[in-house]
Amino acid sequence: MKIAVFPGSFDPITIGHVQIVKRALPLFDKIIIAVGVNSQKKYLYTLDERLAGIDRVFANDPKVEVDKHEGLTAHYCIKKNARYLLRGLRNASDFDYEKQLSQMNQIIGDGVETVFLISQPEFSHISSTLVREVIKGGGDATVFLPKGFKVEGADEFIRRSK
Ligand code: ADP
C-alpha cells in the first residue's frame, strides 16, 4: 500500500494545501495529513481547530486521513509505514529549504522519499503565514481558505495573537 504523509502546520489550511492533496490523490492509496504539534511554536488556530477544519474539507475523501503528530516527521512516517512524504513547492525559497529537509528525512526516515508537487500558478502566492496576517489585521481571508472554513471571530484571533 502506497502511503504518503503530508506534514505541515496548517495554521490554517489554505486552498493551496488542498490543491496539493487533491492532485496527489491519484498517486497514492492513502494520504495522511499530519498536523504538527510543536510546543515551542505559537499558533493562531488551536490544534483542535486546525484538525476540525481539515476534517471538514476532506470528509468525502476516504483516502485522506487526518492526524496530529509531535516530534520528527521522519519517525512519524516509519511509525505509519509511509514510504513517501508529500510537499508542495511554490518558489525557489521553498525549494532551497525543502531540498535540505528531504535529504535529511531520507537519512533519518529509513529512505523515505519526498514527492514534490509544484504549486499551480493560481495558488503559488498563498501561504498560511500571510493568511494569518490578513486575519490578524481584520481583513477578509475567506478567498484563500477552503469553502466553509470558519473565519468569523477575527477579534478573538487578534486577541490571541497579542
Ligand atoms: P510548514 O510549517 O511545514 O511549512 P505549512 O502548513 O506552511 O507547514 O505547509 C505544508 C506544506 O504545504 C509545505 O510543503 C508547503 O510548501 C506546502 N504549501 C503551503 N502552501 C502552499 C501553496 N499555496 N501551494 C503549494 N504548496 C503549498
Side-chain angles (χ1 to χ4, degrees), residues 6-11 14 16-17 19-20 41 86-90 94 97-98 117 119 123-128:
F6 185 41
S9 314
F10 305 105
D11 185 28
T14 69
H17 294 122
Q19 53 115 22
I20 295 292
K41 234 171 157 171
L86 173 65
R87 298 287 282 178
L89 291 179
R90 285 164 292 194
D94 270 359
Y97 172 67
E98 294 289 341
L117 291 185
S119 185
F123 299 107
S124 61
H125 57 290
I126 302 171
S127 73
S128 296

Side-chain angles (χ1 to χ4, degrees), residues 10 13 31-35 47 50-59 61 63-68 76 80:
F10 305 105
I13 187 164
I31 296 177
I32 305 172
I33 303 179
V35 181
L47 176 64
R50 287 180 286 145
L51 288 168
I54 302 170
D55 264 335
R56 229 174 296 126
V57 176
F58 295 101
D61 283 300
K63 280 164 75 177
V64 178
E65 198 178 294
V66 184
D67 193 12
K68 56 184 179 207
Y76 178 79
K80 289 287 180 178

Side-chain angles (χ1 to χ4, degrees), residues 39-101:
S39 52
Q40 313 290 330
K41 234 171 157 171
K42 199 167 176 279
Y43 299 102
L44 185 58
Y45 286 86
T46 65
L47 176 64
D48 284 346
E49 285 167 340
R50 287 180 286 145
L51 288 168
I54 302 170
D55 264 335
R56 229 174 296 126
V57 176
F58 295 101
N60 296 319
D61 283 300
K63 280 164 75 177
V64 178
E65 198 178 294
V66 184
D67 193 12
K68 56 184 179 207
H69 97 91
E70 211 165 347
L72 293 175
T73 306
H75 290 170
Y76 178 79
C77 290
I78 295 171
K79 190 176 94 184
K80 289 287 180 178
N81 260 324
R83 306 300 308 140
Y84 305 93
L85 269 167
L86 173 65
R87 298 287 282 178
L89 291 179
R90 285 164 292 194
N91 48 44
S93 51
D94 270 359
F95 174 79
D96 283 342
Y97 172 67
E98 294 289 341
K99 176 183 158 204
Q100 242 184 327
L101 199 61

